[in-house]
Amino acid sequence: MNHESSPRAWVDVDLEAIAHNLDIARQALPDTALMPVIKAGAYGHGLEPVARRLDADGIAYFGVANAGEARRITLANLRTKPFILGPTIPDERAEIVEQGWCCTISTMEEARHFQSLAALGNRTFTVHIAVDTGMGREGFLPTELGGVAPQIAALPNLFVEGVMSHFPAADEDVPFTQDEIGVFTDCVQTLSQHFDLRYRHIAASAGELGYEIPCANLARPGLLLYGVAPMASIYDGVLRPTLRLSSRVSLIRELPAGHGVAYGRTYVTDRPTRVATIGIGYADGWSRRLSGAGARVCIRGQFCPMLGRVTMDQIMADVTHVPDAAPGDEVELIGPHIPVTEVAERAGTIVWEIFTGLGPRLPRNY
Ligand SMILES: *Cc1c(COP(=O)(O)O)cnc(C)c1O
């Protein structure tokens, strides 16, 4: 006999929900091309399965973080090409040029390096010019553009296909973002004197939800594909949740009043308490910052407060009010009763970090 027991904790991913959320973006932005952002393993949902599901006509690129993710897209043999969102490291560039992955340039040094690599391979290499309209992470400053644009245009093996920027505060600072759209529009105008810009893009999910950006014709939705709108918008209530995080009860015990639970004994029972031990911990991405923060799980349809600190592989919850709870029971940590937004709030972080923190030990079921 060959016994393979089921995992203690796992993630169920709804690929149809992700495709649905992309459709919602497409309907809301009918004249805008889309670059679904699938960096960080598609925000914890699994890079290749998500890419395969979304690899349809009408998608401009897949947004990825680095050469390693771009390589995985290439190996998956998809129609859609990867676009490396952040700056490239010098020793990544030979592979990037050879593979023809699209990326951005922020300095003349990068432009010249790509030019020489492309010339060496006798290729034309496609880039987007990044401009820094406020993020402080990459891009030429808007004031530099007039000077560098002719220099870039003179590099014979570079093809400038687009211009990109990235909002730093679309969901936090509306006046700044509106000014920024004006700056970006000027940048597009300056560059248009030298290049035929097929793609002009600045908005991620929040920018796309909240603003009119007439000069842009490509959007880079990430979070909203995964069912969460970063700001109140027309998308409220139409996005579908894409992921469930579950675990199982390994043990149930009765503890007397005055008994500590977990490291540091930060929680001490104030009455006889039925305590469930559950097979998930911070090594799986159930953040240790959820310790003592009012986090809860759901067992047999009942909310159960988590007790004490999160440990590496296990957590404890109060099941005194769930008398039929038993070892082996499924535990919902993120799902229909417990939205990921609640988990992020209790952990004092953002949904992006909860999604991308879901660890490799968790099998993904599709
Ligand atoms: C991650 C990222 C996105 C997607 O952001 P969301 O807020 O998740 O939609 C878009 N553009 C760039 C440059 C990014 O780094």
Side-chain angles (χ1 to χ4, degrees):
M1 285 281 279
N2 200 351
H3 291 288
E4 184 171 323
S5 29
S6 12
R8 288 184 169 210
W10 65 95
V11 173
D12 292 300
V13 175
D14 185 349
L15 293 173
E16 293 317 307
I18 299 174
H20 165 88
N21 296 337
L22 179 63
D23 274 341
I24 297 286
R26 198 179 270 132
Q27 282 159 28
L29 302 163
D31 301 320
T32 301
L34 293 172
M35 179 193 304
V37 175
I38 58 167
K39 64 188 176 187
Y43 292 40
H45 292 66
L47 189 71
E48 287 86 355
V50 172
R52 245 177 243 123
R53 180 62 188 82
L54 301 184
D55 186 34
D57 282 335
I59 287 176
Y61 286 105
F62 280 130
V64 299
N66 54 38
E69 288 179 343
R71 193 180 310 127
R72 285 170 62 183
I73 298 301
T74 298
L75 289 172
N77 255 323
L78 304 174
R79 191 170 1 186
T80 311
K81 280 202 192 179
F83 182 102
I84 299 175
L85 293 161
T88 58
I89 295 173
D91 67 13
E92 296 174 329
R93 291 183 198 140
E95 180 184 14
I96 292 171
V97 171
E98 195 173 289
Q99 295 291 336
W101 298 326
C102 197
C103 68
T104 65
I105 51 170
S106 300
T107 60
M108 278 314 295
E109 193 186 351
E110 288 172 276
R112 290 196 195 98
H113 191 193
F114 278 121
Q115 160 61 32
S116 68
L117 289 167
L120 258 171
N122 207 8
R123 308 162 191 272
T124 300
F125 182 63
T126 300
V127 295
H128 289 207
I129 294 178
V131 290
D132 183 357
T133 52
M135 179 71 182
R137 190 167 67 174
E138 66 172 324
F140 292 95
L141 293 174
T143 48
E144 291 178 273
L145 278 186
V148 295
Q151 297 179 51
I152 298 171
L155 300 174
N157 296 68
L158 284 198
F159 169 60
V160 174
E161 184 196 43
V163 52
M164 71 95 76
S165 186
H166 189 56
F167 291 128
D171 52 353
E172 293 173 64
D173 190 338
V174 173
F176 178 85
T177 303
Q178 267 153 356
D179 287 349
E180 206 185 345
I181 292 170
V183 172
F184 185 64
T185 307
D186 292 344
C187 293
V188 170
Q189 262 163 20
T190 304
L191 292 174
S192 295
Q193 292 163 24
H194 302 271
F195 308 103
D196 182 13
L197 298 168
R198 176 164 181 211
Y199 291 123
R200 308 171 295 275
H201 46 122
I202 185 168
S205 299
E208 201 173 304
L209 299 174
Y211 303 85
E212 291 282 327
I213 315 167
C215 74
N217 66 354
L218 171 67
R220 307 185 303 260
L223 192 66
L224 79 85
L225 300 179
Y226 309 103
V228 181
M231 54 201 289
S233 71
I234 47 160
Y235 290 69
D236 280 345
V238 292
L239 296 176
R240 296 216 315 244
T242 54
L243 167 152
R244 284 184 192 212
L245 174 63
S246 311
S247 182
R248 291 193 297 153
V249 173
S250 52
L251 185 66
I252 294 192
R253 293 160 69 241
E254 308 278 346
L255 294 182
H259 198 291
V261 180
Y263 294 119
R265 303 180 69 253
T266 55
Y267 183 84
V268 177
T269 54
D270 56 3
R271 52 172 165 80
T273 305
R274 249 163 83 76
V275 174
T277 303
I278 298 163
I280 190 168
Y282 61 76
D284 301 294
W286 189 251
S287 174
R288 190 164 175 281
R289 283 170 296 170
L290 291 163
S291 308
R296 52 192 189 164
V297 302
C298 189
I299 301 172
R300 295 189 182 233
Q302 307 279 324
F303 289 113
C304 306
M306 210 183 69
L307 303 178
R309 288 188 184 153
V310 176
T311 74
M312 187 185 291
D313 313 302
Q314 305 175 74
I315 56 174
M316 275 67 84
D318 186 346
V319 291
T320 309
H321 58 300
V322 194
D324 49 353
D329 276 3
E330 274 194 23
V331 180
E332 175 188 323
L333 295 115
I334 298 173
H337 301 91
I338 304 179
V340 64
T341 44
E342 172 185 314
V343 177
E345 194 178 308
R346 300 272 149 94
T349 186
I350 52 175
V351 174
W352 292 263
E353 192 180 21
I354 299 295
F355 275 147
T356 57
L358 296 171
R361 186 164 69 180
L362 299 166
R364 268 65 169 178
N365 304 321
Y366 297 95

